[in-house]
Amino acid sequence: VSQTLDIPRFYHGYQTVLRIRDREAGAESLVLTIPGVVATNGLNNRGVGLCLNAVTQLAYTTDGLPVAFVIRGVLGKSSFKEAAEFLRAIEPAAPQNYLLGGPDGVASFEVAGDRAVPFVPFEGAAFTYHTNHPMANGNFNPRFLERMKASSRSLDQMRNACPRFNFLKRTLTGNAAPLGLEDLKAIYRDRASGINNGGTYACTIMLLGDAPELHIAPGRPDAEPFQVLTFSGRQGVRSPRA
């Protein structure tokens, strides 16, 4: 699972990864964050990884679980199945798309209110992708629907308007699409797509399985080299192989 994290530029220059250990449980997480925030995405040593992006068109709740704590809750799970059950059970404060992966599965969930709706880009897809427009969840914010009505735009027009999503749709045209580590890095280094942009705070690629790794570029991935972070008992930080 992977993403570019795009946030306002005044946060840039403070890219931080937290290494959180629970020695008694044998659990460890690598958590990308902004100083003062407990999590923006992360990977644990059980191979469970989570990336996310806001889908602000969907409904909010005033008494739901904050996004950062959803992330930390997922990273406390030991399998994709457990983490997916957690995402389905919570009621979040802010709507997000959660790209969840583990050794036993991967899925994209648009979560808003009491609805966690999976999204796949085409029937039979073995992978998924997402940007910042809801594609499957119909639990919309009423104010968003009012704005759409006032502008005479349809939901299909909204869904088809994202150039970053359309770039991925053109690039990843079927299950034969190459999705290796270097293929993903090439996608993220492409500035023309808009996925790599002036707001890109970091690019994270999480390799799952028996020896999980966090590959992270602290900034725009065509300008900052990827570093590789691993877990206790392995080499802690290393440069990418040539």
Side-chain angles (χ1 to χ4, degrees):
V1 296
S2 61
Q3 75 171 124
T4 51
L5 177 65
D6 302 331
I7 58 175
R9 290 190 60 82
F10 60 80
Y11 288 114
H12 291 209
Y14 299 96
Q15 288 87 337
T16 302
V17 174
L18 305 176
R19 184 182 294 274
I20 302 169
R21 296 188 180 99
D22 181 343
R23 297 186 188 280
E24 190 171 313
E28 186 173 344
S29 296
L30 294 167
V31 180
L32 174 64
T33 193
I34 305 159
V37 177
V38 299
T40 59
N41 70 26
L43 169 69
N44 71 22
N45 63 339
R46 279 76 178 264
V48 175
L50 185 71
C51 295
L52 57 154
N53 50 283
V55 279
T56 56
Q57 303 88 344
L58 298 180
Y60 291 76
T61 56
T62 57
D63 57 353
L65 187 64
V67 172
F69 295 96
V70 176
I71 299 167
R72 294 287 290 268
V74 164
L75 295 178
K77 307 305 178 185
S78 59
S79 69
F80 168 84
K81 182 179 178 181
E82 287 183 8
E85 288 173 352
F86 174 79
L87 283 177
R88 293 189 188 100
I90 61 162
E91 185 168 333
Q96 298 281 316
N97 182 77
Y98 292 96
L99 178 61
L100 172 66
D104 51 335
V106 64
S108 178
F109 296 98
E110 294 179 4
V111 183
D114 60 353
R115 301 186 202 174
V117 183
F119 168 73
V120 291
F122 54 87
E123 186 175 354
F127 60 86
T128 187
Y129 48 81
H130 211 282
T131 54
N132 296 98
H133 294 74
M135 304 298 292
N137 195 321
N139 189 12
F140 289 103
N141 184 327
R143 292 184 179 179
F144 166 72
L145 293 177
E146 291 170 5
R147 292 196 300 271
M148 291 288 288
K149 185 177 180 180
S151 66
S152 299
R153 294 184 70 204
S154 70
L155 292 176
D156 283 341
Q157 286 174 322
M158 178 271 294
R159 291 180 176 121
N160 294 326
C162 179
R164 293 168 296 131
F165 187 90
N166 291 333
F167 169 82
L168 292 171
K169 188 175 180 179
R170 292 192 305 270
T171 303
L172 306 174
T173 55
N175 285 332
L179 287 169
L181 177 61
E182 295 306 319
D183 301 306
L184 289 175
K185 288 181 179 179
I187 288 172
Y188 287 122
R189 285 172 174 145
D190 184 344
R191 292 197 177 196
S193 70
I195 295 170
N196 171 354
N197 58 72
T200 299
Y201 175 79
C203 179
T204 53
I205 302 175
M206 304 173 190
L207 303 188
L208 314 177
D210 293 335
E213 296 179 348
L214 174 64
H215 293 239
I216 180 168
R220 300 184 75 157
D222 63 322
E224 297 291 338
F226 280 86
Q227 301 176 45
V228 185
L229 305 181
T230 58
F231 290 95
S232 297
R234 307 178 191 278
Q235 186 178 357
V237 181
R238 62 182 173 84
S239 299
R241 296 184 182 91

